[in-house]
Amino acid sequence: MKMNIAVLPGDGIGPEVVEQALKVTKAVCEKFSHELTYEKALVGACAIDEFGDPYPEKTHELCMKSDAVLFGALGSPKYDNDPTATIRPEQGLLAMRKKLGLYANVRPVSIFPSLIERSPLRTELVRDVDFICIRELTGGLYFGRPQGRSEDGNSAVDTCAYSRTEIERILKVAFEYAGKRRKKLTVVDKANVLETSRLWRQIAKEMAPGYPDIEVEYLFVDNAAMRLIQWPSSFDVIVTENMFGDILTDEASVISGSMGLLPSASVGLYTSLFEPIHGSYPQAAGKNIANPLATVLSAAMMFEYAFGLMKEGALIRKAVAASMEAGFVTEDIAMDGQKARTTNEVGDWLVTYIKG
Ligand code: IPM
Ligand code: MN
């Protein structure tokens, strides 16, 4: 198969982890005789430095004409501590999501047996954890208007807005996922307070009879945050709005023992995008210590979701699991007494495994 991908390393550790995912992608393509072509482009702080724009038109055009986008992370401390900065790297990510129509962010959370001890939760609580969080990605507080400051600078507003169309399409994705999995859907909202949440809940209730084999439960977001810790294996598919999904998936990532492990796929109207859920981790940038596995697993999702290549995705997952079982991992997940490997070494190990 011909695979033409856009590679956006981004900022911080982005370039290092994307490099490993790219190596792995190349190795898999060689093994299965796929014809891979790719082109790199800038997004985030590096794009501001170069073009004064965190998501330059050139980058967007590349994404639009590619079959998939492999993305690292973006963000820079240069902007984080300056509340008056008007151009921010994060705007690049939001613009990319919006312009590519990526309304569904799929974040699977599962446990690697060799890492179970690293979870802050007790083993018996996390052993059977296997769920998917579907986060709405192009609406809600992130994009609602009005948004901004009053003229005197002393009041600020963000708006949470959702239309029926936006809610229906993300719920449809969620119902369909649940149908292919254990047939349980948890709709997370704050319907006791927010009107947008009441609309979500109303639409979910209208749609539910269309999926008679799926058990639907409704949870308030505060309660969901609690249950993720108390009984995480009770979830199968979670669907929620943008900001709730942002917060809950960071919480969920910790369950697996390291944030450096969770991949994601963003899908929608145009080209799909694959990225780790962790950020740009600037403190580690350039040190060759970042965990590349979340990005490598995002590449696995790319094979599966963007190209329907399931065997290829499975081989990558197998390689990742094998590296963990062999203890060939970066410092964030190395066990006591185990030698920590570099970002690059882990990438090379995976490539060797895949070729073998
Ligand atoms: C994420 C990130 C982004 C978000 C930031 C970097 C804008 O935290 O992908 O979860 O909030 O969506
Ligand atoms: Mn986040």
Side-chain angles (χ1 to χ4, degrees):
M1 177 182 284
K2 278 196 170 139
M3 295 173 53
N4 178 25
I5 67 174
V7 178
L8 311 185
D11 307 316
I13 58 169
E16 296 162 61
V17 292
V18 163
E19 200 51 48
Q20 311 316 312
L22 196 54
K23 282 200 296 212
V24 166
T25 301
K26 283 181 194 163
V28 170
C29 284
E30 244 167 65
K31 179 155 193 144
F32 291 87
S33 306
H34 299 306
E35 206 179 302
L36 175 73
T37 49
Y38 66 92
E39 200 175 314
K40 290 190 179 173
L42 298 179
V43 65
C46 57
I48 301 179
D49 293 344
E50 181 90 17
F51 301 109
D53 180 349
Y55 185 53
E57 194 50 38
K58 231 176 96 185
T59 303
H60 181 58
E61 277 165 21
L62 174 67
C63 292
M64 287 298 283
K65 69 171 198 218
S66 302
D67 302 321
V69 180
L70 183 63
F71 166 57
L74 58 71
S76 157
K78 211 161 94 185
Y79 302 89
D80 285 348
N81 303 319
D82 178 7
T84 62
T86 49
I87 304 185
R88 299 172 170 281
E90 288 75 10
Q91 289 163 347
L93 186 54
L94 300 189
M96 183 158 70
R97 288 171 178 170
K98 196 72 172 180
K99 290 177 83 173
L100 292 175
L102 302 173
Y103 61 81
N105 182 225
V106 181
R107 298 186 162 184
V109 179
S110 57
I111 301 295
F112 293 93
S114 58
L115 281 186
I116 214 157
E117 310 260 288
R118 294 200 59 98
S119 173
L121 301 186
R122 290 196 308 280
T123 299
E124 69 262 32
L125 283 180
V126 295
R127 197 180 289 125
D128 300 319
V129 167
D130 176 15
F131 64 86
I132 283 193
C133 188
I134 299 185
R135 166 186 173 192
E136 201 290 327
L137 205 57
T138 53
L141 278 170
Y142 278 61
F143 295 96
R145 293 291 179 268
Q147 180 180 60
R149 288 286 180 101
S150 62
E151 248 165 55
D152 67 3
N154 290 329
S155 53
V157 61
D158 293 290
T159 303
C160 188
Y162 270 109
S163 67
R164 172 174 282 274
T165 315
E166 288 174 305
I167 299 169
E168 275 173 357
R169 68 185 179 186
I170 188 77
L171 286 174
K172 181 164 181 282
V173 172
F175 274 111
E176 284 170 5
Y177 264 93
K180 283 186 249 155
R181 293 176 48 99
R182 299 194 305 275
K183 306 200 170 19
K184 182 173 172 195
L185 178 62
T186 305
V187 180
V188 172
D189 61 31
K190 189 73 187 173
N192 50 347
V193 178
L194 301 176
E195 200 53 44
T196 40
S197 284
R198 285 191 279 272
L199 183 60
W200 271 73
R201 202 175 271 221
Q202 177 195 326
I203 294 174
K205 289 195 166 160
E206 287 168 16
M207 289 171 76
Y211 302 88
D213 56 334
I214 294 171
E215 177 201 341
V216 189
E217 72 171 344
Y218 299 88
L219 274 190
F220 296 141
V221 63
D222 45 354
N223 193 3
M226 199 165 72
R227 227 183 57 205
L228 271 174
I229 300 296
Q230 286 181 325
W231 190 21
S233 60
S234 68
F235 294 111
D236 179 19
V237 177
I238 297 174
V239 65
T240 191
E241 66 92 47
N242 203 345
M243 175 72 102
F244 297 159
D246 179 45
I247 299 168
L248 291 180
T249 52
D250 262 32
E251 186 188 354
S253 75
V254 175
I255 299 172
S256 73
S258 168
M259 214 185 175
L261 290 174
L262 293 198
S264 83
S266 300
V267 300
L269 305 177
Y270 310 111
T271 318
S272 300
L273 177 133
F274 302 85
E275 60 168 313
I277 93 151
H278 63 67
S280 60
Y281 193 17
Q283 303 86 330
K287 292 191 181 154
N288 203 14
I289 57 170
N291 188 343
L293 295 183
T295 316
V296 170
L297 289 168
S298 301
M301 291 184 89
M302 176 177 81
F303 277 98
E304 295 162 350
Y305 286 61
F307 301 99
L309 299 171
M310 309 316 270
K311 270 195 245 143
E312 287 79 344
L315 178 59
I316 296 177
R317 282 174 215 289
K318 204 172 146 215
V320 166
S323 78
M324 284 195 263
E325 269 149 42
F328 206 100
V329 293
T330 44
E331 63 179 26
D332 56 312
I333 54 172
M335 301 289 171
D336 292 339
Q338 226 169 38
K339 182 168 178 236
R341 306 294 173 159
T342 65
T343 310
N344 224 334
E345 284 173 331
V346 172
D348 289 342
W349 194 97
L350 296 170
V351 166
T352 308
Y353 182 96
I354 286 165
K355 284 188 174 161

